[in-house]
């Protein structure tokens, strides 16, 4: 059976061009980039090229790029750097819909005496910025960092990062954004947006798992999160993951070249899938603001059925997607994102996230569009909550 893979916000396939560029660095070209000999030095030069390519994706300079092991490490490194730099500041501002990489670190810091403000979102998943701006006015001197995601991994809703970064900079407050989902899907320009730190993750943009980036704006002090060797100009110890960094360089170059296609062809496929599912399946609704949204993401709730059961039946016909439940925690409660948006329980429970990549086709959308109505109908027939 052919697999229709629409779970690209979870992870993406490594692009063949990326794999090809990585392969020699697992075998023949295994030198340590820090070595004095030219065998290692040649790898160092290839790392520099990768750094330039990643920088180019977000309009940074190569010196502002710090390679990490993943998006989670980048998020942790940014927030921990801010609190280490400002030990007297005990307040962190974030949102109620962040990825666990930020959310759980903030919860941990609360146990260490920090106050965390979790900014609410509205019914459409948009940031309610009033509390943010009033807290920035009243507590500016106590805020160590503001950390807000550029785009949400479940709904694709985009936050007004530029506006917040500008206001934070006016107040002299550090601003970090988790752009793990935004990168490669919408243009990102760190110079124009004025963010201080920004996280990326390789495996969301067709590079391998286990490689991430933290952009640190030139001039921002950055105590290393991993203390060790001199790598990354002393900002992250540990011998470089050379093959993956080189892969991420290639993936970044490809992602930049494909932004136009993301905005047109992939957005078109997502919109087609969305309108057909809404038309063919009664009592279905989209979660989140539809305009300011990543072009590849569709979070759709089907009333009176359960996400995990839908996924199981989808799996039987070869379709991969995600549900909107907090299944990672072993519970079937709706995710913290859908709960923060106050999505009614009935549809939050039956929420499925489709997330597309450049590899998806119209034929695949047609397969999903044909497969979904009978699946939902079958589950509703046995649902005690389906009264229509
Ligand atoms: N931030 C967001 C918004 C994400 O979606 C993810 C992964 O799902 C992460 C951070 C964590 O990235 P990684 O898996 O590279 O640690």
């Amino acid at each position: 059976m052919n697999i229709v893979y629409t779970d690209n916000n979870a992870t993406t396939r490594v692009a063949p061009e990326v794999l090809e560029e990585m392969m020699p660095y697992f075998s023949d070209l295994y030198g340590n980039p820090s070595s004095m000999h030219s065998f290692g030095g040649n790898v160092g030069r290839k790392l520099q090229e990768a750094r330039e390519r990643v920088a180019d994706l977000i309009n940074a300079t190569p010196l502002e790029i710090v390679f990490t092991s993943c998006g989670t490490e980048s998020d942790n490194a940014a927030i921990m750097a801010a609190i280490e730099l400002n030990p007297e500041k005990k307040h962190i501002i974030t949102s109620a819909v962040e990825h666990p990489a930020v959310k759980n670190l903030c919860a941990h810091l609360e146990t260490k005496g920090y106050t965390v403000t979790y900014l609410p979102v509205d019914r459409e998943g948009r940031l309610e910025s009033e509390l943010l701006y009033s807290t920035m006015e009243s507590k500016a001197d106590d805020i160590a960092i503001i950390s807000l995601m550029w785009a949400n991994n479940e709904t694709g809703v985009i936050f007004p990062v530029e506006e917040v970064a500008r206001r934070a900079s006016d107040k002299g407050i550090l601003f970090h954004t988790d752009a793990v989902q935004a990168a490669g899907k919408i243009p990102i320009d760190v110079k124009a947006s004025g963010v201080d730190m920004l996280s990326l993750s390789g495996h969301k943009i067709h590079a391998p798992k286990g490689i991430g980036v933290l952009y640190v704006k030139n001039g921002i002090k950055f105590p290393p999160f991993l203390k060790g060797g001199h790598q990354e100009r002393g900002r992250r110890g540990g011998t470089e993951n050379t093959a993956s960094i080189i892969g991420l360089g290639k993936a970044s170059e490809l992602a930049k070249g494909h932004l136009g296609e993301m905005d047109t062809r992939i957005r078109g496929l997502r919109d087609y899938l969305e309108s057909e599912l809404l038309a063919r399946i009664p009592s279905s609704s989209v979660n989140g603001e539809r305009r300011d949204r990543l072009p590849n993401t569709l979070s759709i709730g089907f009333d009176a059925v359960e996400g995990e059961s839908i996924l199981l039946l989808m799996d039987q016909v070869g379709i991969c997607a995600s549900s909107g439940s907090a299944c990672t925690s072993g519970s079937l409660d709706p995710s913290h994102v859908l709960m923060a948006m106050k999505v009614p329980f009935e549809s939050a429970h039956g929420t499925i996230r489709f997330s597309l990549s450049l590899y998806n086709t119209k034929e695949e959308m047609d397969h999903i569009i044909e497969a979904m109505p009978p699946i939902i109908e079958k589950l509703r027939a046995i649902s005690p909550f389906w009264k229509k």
Side-chain angles (χ1 to χ4, degrees), residues 131-172:
L131 178 61
L132 169 63
Y133 297 136
S134 63
T135 314
M136 279 167 71
E137 282 303 323
S138 61
K139 303 228 169 72
D141 293 343
D142 193 37
I143 301 171
I145 189 165
I146 300 171
S147 179
L148 291 175
M149 64 203 325
W150 197 305
N152 188 270
N153 45 303
E154 290 190 33
T155 60
V157 172
I158 296 169
F159 276 174
V161 162
E162 286 100 339
E163 167 77 3
V164 180
R166 192 177 52 72
R167 295 222 195 185
S169 159
D170 288 348
K171 292 270 167 209

Side-chain angles (χ1 to χ4, degrees), residues 250-271:
K250 183 65 185 173
S252 300
E253 184 189 75
L254 293 173
K256 189 171 179 198
H258 286 140
L259 281 173
E261 188 179 349
M262 259 289 163
D263 194 40
T264 51
R265 188 176 71 83
I266 301 305
R267 184 185 295 280
L269 288 183
R270 190 276 311 272
D271 290 348

Side-chain angles (χ1 to χ4, degrees), residues 324-357:
S325 80
C327 49
T328 43
S329 64
S331 95
L332 290 182
D333 285 342
S335 71
H336 69 286
V337 176
L338 298 180
M339 291 215 272
M341 290 164 65
K342 302 194 173 61
V343 174
F345 207 68
E346 239 204 351
S347 78
H349 249 283
T351 285
I352 297 295
R353 177 191 70 187
F354 296 96
S355 47
L356 278 51
S357 81

Side-chain angles (χ1 to χ4, degrees), residues 9-10 69-73 75 99 101 149 151-153 178 180-181 200-204 211:
N9 287 8
S69 68
C70 58
T72 301
E73 183 190 326
D75 287 345
H99 186 272
M149 64 203 325
N152 188 270
N153 45 303
D178 175 341
V180 164
Q181 292 294 346
L200 302 177
S201 173
H203 74 106
K204 311 290 185 180
I211 182 72

